[in-house]
Amino acid sequence: MTFRLSSFGHLALVFALTLVHAERALADRAAREDAALPAPAPRAMTLPEALAYAREHQPRIRAALARVSAERVQAEVPRGQWLPAVGLTAQLLGATSNNTTAGYVPFSAIDIPRIGGSGGTSWSSATLKPYASSFAAVGATQEIFDFGRIAAQSAAADALVEVRRHDADAERLDIEFDVEESFFAVQAAKGVLAAAEGAFERARVHRDLAEAGVRSGLRSPVELTRAEADLQRFETGRTRAHGGILVAQSVLAAAIGSPERGVDTAGPVQNPADMPALAAAIRRASERDPHVLATLAQLKAQEERTRAIDAELRPDLSATATISARAGGAPASNGDSADYAGWLPTVPNWDVGLVLTWPIFDGTISARKRASRALEDVRKDEIDVARQMLIARIEQTYVTVEVARATLPNLAHALDAAIANYTQADARFTAGLGTSVELADAEALRTSAEIDLALGTFELARARAAFGRAIAEGL
C-alpha cells in the first residue's frame, strides 16, 4: 500500500518556504498569546479586503512611507541657508591685551569686526599683566546670492526623496505579493483538509464494515486490523491538515499586519487578467518596476550630488550686520582708560556690510567630486544589473505559470481516474470480492490525487501572483 502521508509534509514544506517572511511576526505574537484561552473563530476576509487592510495596517508599509516623509523633510535642510542667521553672545574674559582694546572669542553666528589697538606692539613694549575684557553683541547674516550652490544642494536632496518613494512602492508590491501568497496558502490548506476529512470518513465506514464482517464470520480478522490501522493513519493526516490551516491563517494575519491570532479567507478569488506576451511584459515592467526606477533615481541623485559638490567652489555673497559693546581694561593707544576697568562693555559699535567669499581651490572638494563621479559609474552598472534581474525574474515566473497551468488539467484527470478506481475497489470490497489492502491502496491513490490537485491549484495561483509582482502590476 502506498498512501502518501508525505503529501501533508509537502504542503507544510511549501508553506515554510513560501511564507518564511512572517516567521518573526508569528514568533512575537506567539509569545504574547495565552495558550489556556480558547481560540475564537478567525475573522474571514476576501482577497481585496486583505490587500486593503495590509495597505493601511502593515507596519512595513507605514515604515516605508515614514522613510519617504523623513527624506522629504531632510530635503528642506539646504533651503534653510536662505533664511537669516541671528545670534547673541556675551563674554567676560581675563587675559593679556597686547595690541587690542578688548579680547573676545569668535562666534560663528555673528561677524565681529576687529577694532582699534593698544600698546604692546613689540616684544620690548609687551606686558604680561592681565586686564579685564568684556564683550556683548547681537548680529545677523543673510544670504544674498549663492551662484547656484544652494539650488544644486536642494536638487541632490530632492533626488533622494524620489529614491525613497520608489523603495516604498517596491515594499508595497512585496507586501501585496505576501498577502496573495498567504491567502492562496489558506485556501490550499482547506483543500488538503477536505481531502483528509473525506479519507477519514471513508476509512471509518470501511472499518465499521470490516468489523461487521468479522463478527458475522464473513471476513478474516486481519481485514479489521488493517482497516483500523488505515483509520488511525488517516486520522493523523487529518490532524496535520487541521494544523496546516491554523498555521496558514496565522501567517495570513501576520502578512496583513493584523494583531489577531489568525485570519481566514472568504469568497471566491477573481480570476487574474490574462498574462501579456513575454516581450510586452518585459517592456512594460522596465518602465514601472520600482527596483529599476529606484536604481535610475539613485543615478540621478548621484549626478546631482556631484553637481552640488562642484558648486561648493562657487562664490558666495552675503550681508552682515552687528551691534556690539565692548571694553578692555588695557590702556588704549591714545592713553585713555576704559570705564570700570573693562569689566563692563560700555563702548558701543555697529557695522553693516556685504561679504564676498570665493574658495577658488580646495583639494578636499576636488577629491570628493572625483569620488562622486566614480559612484556614478557604479550606479550605471547597477541599472544594467537591475534590468537583467528583472528580465530573468519575469521569464522565470512566466514559465512557472505556464507549467503550473499545463499541469492542472493532468492533476484533475488523475483525480477523476483515482475516484473511478476507488469506486470500483469500494464496490468489490462491499460485495466481499475485494480485500482491505486493495481498498486501502485505492483510498491512498484518491487522497493523494486530491491533495496534489489542491497543491497544484495553489502553485498556479502563487505563480500567477509572482508574475504579477515581477511585472509590477499585481493580479
Side-chain angles (χ1 to χ4, degrees):
M1 188 176 66
T2 59
F3 174 58
R4 295 193 299 164
L5 282 177
S6 61
S7 297
F8 297 102
H10 174 64
L11 178 63
L13 179 60
V14 171
F15 291 159
L17 291 177
T18 59
L19 307 172
V20 68
H21 63 275
E23 181 179 356
R24 180 173 298 178
L26 292 176
D28 293 340
R29 183 184 294 111
R32 299 191 300 266
E33 291 174 346
D34 185 359
L37 295 177
R43 176 173 50 154
M45 290 185 179
T46 63
L47 182 55
E49 290 173 345
L51 291 171
Y53 187 96
R55 296 186 190 105
E56 185 175 353
H57 297 89
Q58 173 56 248
R60 288 165 53 193
I61 290 183
R62 293 204 305 267
L65 294 177
R67 286 191 289 271
V68 176
S69 299
E71 198 67 55
R72 187 175 290 113
V73 174
Q74 185 69 24
E76 296 298 321
V77 173
R79 296 177 173 88
Q81 298 176 74
W82 285 112
L83 299 176
V86 180
L88 183 147
T89 182
Q91 304 175 16
L92 180 62
L93 305 175
T96 58
S97 186
N98 294 310
N99 197 30
T100 183
T101 56
Y104 49 84
V105 177
F107 182 46
S108 60
I110 302 176
D111 294 332
I112 305 172
R114 178 74 168 87
I115 300 174
S118 65
T121 58
S122 66
W123 180 261
S124 60
S125 61
T127 177
L128 299 181
K129 179 182 178 180
Y131 295 94
S133 181
S134 57
F135 179 82
V138 60
T141 59
Q142 171 64 57
E143 185 72 41
I144 300 299
F145 191 68
D146 69 332
F147 296 86
R149 173 178 50 84
I150 297 177
Q153 294 174 353
S154 300
D158 291 339
L160 291 178
V161 176
E162 191 70 10
V163 174
R164 291 292 174 265
R165 189 176 67 82
H166 292 309
D167 289 342
D169 290 339
E171 189 72 30
R172 177 184 55 81
L173 287 173
D174 289 341
I175 290 172
E176 289 178 355
F177 171 68
D178 292 342
V179 173
E180 293 165 353
E181 184 180 54
S182 304
F183 191 93
F184 298 142
V186 173
Q187 292 186 319
K190 290 181 177 180
V192 172
L193 178 60
E197 293 279 6
F200 174 80
E201 291 300 326
R202 290 189 295 270
R204 185 175 58 80
V205 172
H206 297 151
R207 190 277 313 272
D208 295 342
L209 185 61
E211 184 178 18
V214 170
R215 285 201 193 104
S216 64
L218 298 178
R219 293 186 182 275
S220 170
V222 71
E223 300 283 352
L224 176 59
T225 56
R226 179 55 185 269
E228 186 67 37
D230 289 335
L231 181 64
Q232 297 304 316
R233 180 176 297 182
F234 290 129
E235 171 65 16
T236 301
R238 185 176 69 163
T239 302
R240 289 175 176 173
H242 216 317
I245 286 184
L246 296 178
V247 171
Q249 290 174 341
S250 184
V251 170
L252 177 58
I256 67 175
S258 172
E260 301 172 68
R261 187 168 192 165
V263 173
D264 197 8
T265 60
V269 178
Q270 184 178 1
N271 292 329
D274 294 336
M275 291 194 304
L278 183 58
I282 293 175
R283 182 178 62 257
R284 286 159 55 179
S286 299
E287 298 173 354
R288 68 179 66 188
D289 180 72
H291 290 301
V292 173
L293 296 178
T295 308
L296 291 170
Q298 287 174 349
L299 172 59
K300 181 181 178 181
Q302 195 61 52
E303 292 173 343
E304 296 293 349
R305 176 62 178 165
T306 303
R307 296 189 187 97
I309 294 174
D310 185 59
E312 294 180 17
L313 292 176
R314 298 177 185 177
D316 185 85
L317 180 64
S318 61
T320 179
T322 306
I323 298 175
S324 64
R326 69 191 75 193
S333 56
N334 60 6
D336 294 340
S337 297
D339 295 338
Y340 308 106
W343 289 99
L344 294 178
T346 58
V347 181
N349 285 283
W350 63 268
D351 65 88
V352 175
L354 291 175
V355 178
L356 176 67
T357 59
W358 191 350
I360 296 176
F361 176 77
D362 189 319
T364 302
I365 294 177
S366 299
R368 288 168 53 210
K369 181 180 177 181
R370 290 194 300 271
S372 183
R373 289 197 184 280
L375 286 177
E376 290 180 21
D377 295 334
V378 175
R379 298 290 180 257
K380 293 176 182 178
D381 293 335
E382 288 176 348
I383 293 174
D384 295 336
V385 172
R387 285 174 173 163
Q388 186 177 25
M389 292 180 62
L390 174 64
I391 293 173
R393 186 164 59 250
I394 293 174
E395 292 175 343
Q396 178 183 0
T397 54
Y398 190 92
V399 172
T400 303
V401 172
E402 292 296 325
V403 172
R405 183 174 292 166
T407 303
L408 206 57
N410 297 332
L411 295 175
H413 294 328
L415 176 58
D416 293 339
I419 292 176
N421 178 68
Y422 169 79
T423 302
Q424 296 173 4
D426 180 55
R428 284 173 53 82
F429 183 79
T430 303
L433 301 177
T435 65
S436 60
V437 174
E438 178 182 326
L439 182 61
D441 184 67
E443 178 62 57
L445 183 62
R446 174 177 176 171
T447 304
S448 296
E450 290 175 344
I451 294 175
D452 287 343
L453 182 59
L455 292 177
T457 303
F458 166 74
E459 290 170 356
L460 175 58
R462 182 187 181 279
R464 182 60 182 85
F467 177 77
R469 170 61 187 92
I471 63 176
E473 292 184 359
L475 290 174

